[in-house]
Amino acid sequence: MTTVFLVDDHALFRAGVRAEIGGFVDVIGEAGTVDDAVAGILAVRPDVTVVDVHLPNGGGKAIIERVLADWPDAVFLALSVSDAAEDVVAVIRAGARGYVTKTIDAEQLADAIRRVHGGDAVFSPRLAGFVLDAFSGSAPAPTDPELDQLSAREQEVMRLIARGYTYREVAAQLHLSVKTVETHVSAVLRKLQLSNRHELTAWATDRRLL
Amino acid sequence: MIVHLGTNPLAFDRRADRRVLLGVAGGFADQHGIDVVVVRAALVVLTFAGGLGIVLYFIGHVVATSHGPLPPAQPLDQRRNLSVAAVALGLATMMRSTGLWAGDALMIVVIVVATGVALLGVLRPNEASSLGDATAGDGASTLAAVLAGRHARWRIIAGGALIAFGLVLVGGSGGLTSGLRVGVYATALTILGVAVLLGPWFARAAQEMAEERRQRIRLDEREAMAAHLHDSVLQTLALIQRSADDPRRTVTLARRQEAELRQWLYGNADTAAATVSGALQQMVLEVEGLYDIRIDPVVVGDRPMNHDFAALIAATREACVNAAKHSGVQDVSVYVEVTANSIDAFVRDRGIGFDSAAPTEGRGIAQSIEARLARVGGSATIVSAPGEGTEVRLSMPFTSAPHATAQDPGRT
């Protein structure tokens, strides 16, 4: 079973998640603060760390950055009620492989955990919306089109995910294999993480994030 | 000299408190920084100059502004009654110095009767109720004490006696002057007597009616507010208590109620609804509040709202409501994308679905949404199959206006 480390500053929420996904994955540790989390993750080396976006003293972003500095192969899934694009994108750019909202049900969460463990990216509809918003439109021609822009296919995939389609449904809709859809999503994630130029900057400036 | 632009330079506020008659002298004194006693004394003196004081007093009353109905004069003491007497005396003097005097013989009778009527007429309800308490044996009570409102029984007796005396005088001296003048004055006297006798009662009744109306308006407002709070806040609180184990629903309810209350309290100044994303959020909160569903709206791009967009939001709402009613599931995905020249909305559920090829099922829904959108140049497609959920796709092209500042689609 996939081993999981839970980070959330609400003990009640951790207990709830642990109870819910306990049947699907093996929760081997949990923490409520950034320091505890970093120490715990590095000690138990879980397959996947489910990390809350909002935590005192730096949030999920700080945990991901500090753990990755010591252990580059760590895998993170961001889990949040936060609707603010800047927080979510910051965690993704720090290295999280996916973002799901706390309204997700247990089975879907377990599935998302397995997915990021398998190397895939997990996009909730909301994250897909953020991505489309960030990469869409009106920005002037980027310096490195290859990296900075989403391909037409990637945009289609993102759009369907934003509409609430599962990967399987996206694949059926676009007559692709699920594997191809996963490849597209991973590519989008990489672009989101690596693209520190034009659009994201402009997008962030638009929202007074920088 | 100070000139009050745009207002009557003579205007002053009548004094509502500590007034004796109508608050004119006090208001005038307040306005011009004169001792009120001086003003009153001047009025009294001028009253003997052909009644000028009374004329001035009533001019002052007309010119003066007053805020709302005057509260009862406080205190209701003998000053007020003496003032009334002074005014009456002044009036009589004025009449005598002008052509309105009908001869001493008749007018003295009139004055005697009027005094009696006045004594009776100024009887107030609180005095009437305390009649039984009046000390009968106080034979030494002075006119001032009677006028001051004490010893109501003595006043009634004195008033009645004066009236009777006056009537006797009228009967005994009927042929004193020419019949016509006597007739005119007798009529006038009767009317005046009735007016004096019933005047205070009418004034009181009118004041009570005004007060009652104010109370009723206040009561109506209270009822309206109570009704609103009952329909909204109390209902929501009841719902929250019932769904205490469902934090998400509780939060949704609380948020919706907050938005609604804000709107109610502060009017339509809600700027959130000024953009497509804001209007969508509001719509979602509303539908989530009405039906037991969770809607996760995702918005890409944004624009200021306009009439056409409102039609699309309304169609989106209808699709959400249909999903809530018919899909059998509690999760609905809503995705709205605003591009440079079109706005698209997708409402998707994973419910029971229906055969969208069949002519009967779903036809009404499609037609209503389609018709709504067709009026503003949009289109709607419904994709569904039994067991596979339903997706309503709405699209509306528009001619591109200057690009709106994009807003964070998801920020709440």
Side-chain angles (χ1 to χ4, degrees):
Chain A
M1 249 204 281
T2 314
T3 56
V4 173
F5 194 96
L6 279 178
V7 185
D8 194 293
D9 53 339
H10 295 106
L12 220 69
F13 181 77
R14 288 202 304 271
V17 172
R18 187 195 266 269
E20 277 189 330
I21 64 173
F24 305 101
V25 297
D26 186 13
V27 181
I28 57 168
E30 56 182 74
T33 66
V34 172
D35 291 336
D36 287 356
V38 173
I41 293 162
L42 290 175
V44 303
R45 306 268 162 160
D47 292 333
V48 175
T49 301
V50 176
V51 62
D52 191 8
V53 171
H54 282 288
L55 287 171
N57 303 320
K61 182 170 175 278
I63 295 172
I64 295 170
E65 280 167 350
R66 281 167 59 182
V67 170
L68 284 179
D70 276 356
W71 179 32
D73 293 332
V75 175
F76 293 92
L77 175 66
L79 178 67
S80 178
V81 285
S82 163
D83 288 328
E86 65 263 41
D87 299 333
V88 176
V89 170
V91 170
I92 295 291
R93 285 169 66 77
R97 294 275 269 282
Y99 166 73
V100 292
T101 49
K102 280 182 176 174
T103 53
I104 194 170
D105 65 41
E107 207 169 326
Q108 285 175 319
L109 179 58
D111 185 54
I113 290 168
R114 277 195 293 269
R115 225 180 257 282
V116 293
H117 182 225
D120 291 328
V122 170
F123 276 27
S124 65
R126 190 169 294 284
L127 179 57
F130 290 157
V131 169
L132 282 168
D133 214 17
F135 284 100
S136 75
S138 57
T143 46
D144 188 351
E146 192 64 25
L147 188 62
D148 285 337
Q149 274 195 325
L150 301 185
S151 70
R153 221 7 156 209
E154 286 162 356
Q155 280 195 24
E156 276 180 297
V157 170
M158 281 297 118
R159 218 167 253 130
L160 286 172
I161 291 174
R163 276 158 65 177
Y165 282 57
T166 63
Y167 288 7
R168 188 172 292 107
E169 287 166 337
V170 173
Q173 183 81 21
L174 298 178
H175 308 293
L176 302 169
S177 70
V178 175
K179 197 71 219 159
T180 312
V181 172
E182 284 169 353
T183 309
H184 284 307
V185 176
S186 294
V188 172
L189 181 75
R190 201 166 54 248
K191 285 181 183 181
L192 189 62
Q193 287 175 340
L194 294 182
S195 166
N196 53 1
R197 316 175 206 215
H198 228 87
E199 290 87 354
L200 283 184
T201 316
W203 181 63
T205 312
D206 260 4
R207 288 158 180 71
R208 303 200 193 99
L209 307 184
L210 297 177
Chain B
M1 178 185 167
I2 300 164
V3 178
H4 299 269
L5 287 174
T7 58
N8 186 344
L10 294 171
F12 57 90
D13 287 343
R14 272 157 60 192
R15 191 151 94 177
D17 57 334
R18 291 181 295 118
R19 70 194 171 93
V20 172
L21 281 179
L22 297 169
V24 173
F28 187 82
D30 288 348
Q31 177 79 11
H32 297 281
I34 311 166
D35 193 323
V36 66
V37 174
V38 175
V39 178
R40 286 183 180 140
L43 283 172
V44 169
V45 170
L46 285 173
T47 297
F48 289 99
L52 189 58
I54 290 172
V55 175
L56 282 177
Y57 191 90
F58 281 100
I59 288 173
H61 178 236
V62 172
V63 169
T65 52
S66 166
H67 305 291
L70 292 171
Q74 291 287 344
L76 182 68
D77 59 9
Q78 79 186 66
R79 279 194 311 162
R80 179 155 176 260
N81 292 326
L82 282 174
S83 306
V84 174
V87 167
L89 188 62
L91 262 174
T93 316
M94 182 176 75
M95 284 169 76
R96 195 171 182 203
S97 66
T98 58
L100 287 167
W101 200 249
D104 285 349
L106 180 62
M107 288 313 286
I108 286 168
V109 172
V110 169
I111 287 168
V112 167
V113 172
T115 308
V117 169
L119 282 176
L120 286 175
V122 295
L123 192 70
R124 298 182 76 91
N126 53 348
E127 292 170 2
S129 64
S130 66
L131 263 182
D133 303 335
T135 47
D138 192 359
S141 61
T142 61
L143 180 65
V146 172
L147 284 171
R150 292 188 293 267
H151 312 302
R153 183 177 294 175
W154 284 108
R155 263 177 49 203
I156 290 172
I157 292 170
L162 281 170
I163 290 172
F165 178 58
L167 288 175
V168 168
L169 277 183
V170 169
S173 61
L176 215 79
T177 48
S178 76
L180 183 65
R181 288 187 80 184
V182 170
V184 170
Y185 280 113
T187 309
L189 177 65
T190 308
I191 293 170
L192 189 73
V194 169
V196 169
L197 195 60
L198 297 182
W201 181 81
F202 271 120
R204 267 203 309 278
Q207 204 167 8
E208 269 164 24
M209 262 167 71
E211 178 64 23
E212 213 174 278
R213 210 178 63 224
R214 263 206 316 284
Q215 296 268 15
R216 205 168 51 237
I217 289 169
R218 213 173 297 150
L219 207 72
D220 285 352
E221 276 173 1
R222 260 181 85 92
E223 264 172 19
M225 182 178 281
H228 179 91
L229 291 180
H230 179 264
D231 288 349
S232 56
V233 178
L234 291 181
Q235 295 280 13
T236 303
L237 288 176
L239 282 173
I240 284 176
Q241 283 171 39
R242 275 176 45 196
S243 47
D245 52 341
D246 184 351
R248 192 195 144 94
R249 178 151 172 77
T250 305
V251 167
T252 304
L253 285 167
R255 270 165 68 198
R256 183 180 65 92
Q257 189 52 61
E258 184 198 338
E260 205 180 287
L261 198 59
R262 216 175 268 285
Q263 179 117 19
W264 188 65
L265 285 173
Y266 307 117
N268 300 327
D270 196 353
T271 50
T275 62
V276 170
S277 66
L280 188 79
Q281 297 282 0
Q282 221 170 49
M283 181 278 282
V284 164
L285 285 177
E286 197 186 314
V287 175
E288 277 183 336
L290 290 173
Y291 302 93
D292 189 21
I293 55 167
R294 296 186 304 190
I295 301 174
D296 202 13
V298 175
V299 189
V300 170
D302 208 352
R303 265 173 187 279
M305 277 298 278
N306 66 28
H307 185 73
D308 292 354
F309 295 168
L312 186 116
I313 298 282
T316 309
R317 182 187 194 278
E318 202 165 323
C320 289
V321 169
N322 283 323
K325 282 183 181 165
H326 305 300
S327 73
V329 291
Q330 294 183 336
D331 283 286
V332 176
S333 303
V334 171
Y335 173 64
V336 173
E337 184 170 5
V338 186
T339 63
N341 46 28
S342 77
I343 173 168
D344 302 276
F346 302 86
V347 178
R348 181 181 159 81
D349 68 69
R350 292 166 193 288
I352 50 173
F354 58 90
D355 186 357
S356 53
T360 52
E361 281 187 288
R363 192 50 59 178
I365 305 163
Q367 269 173 357
S368 124
I369 295 179
E370 271 162 17
R372 197 191 277 276
L373 273 183
R375 280 198 289 276
V376 290
S379 61
T381 319
I382 296 181
V383 181
S384 184
E388 293 188 12
T390 307
E391 185 175 58
V392 179
R393 302 170 184 171
L394 310 166
S395 179
M396 196 178 64
F398 58 85
T399 47
S400 195
H403 195 73
T405 311
Q407 289 216 337
D408 188 330
R411 199 183 309 222
T412 51

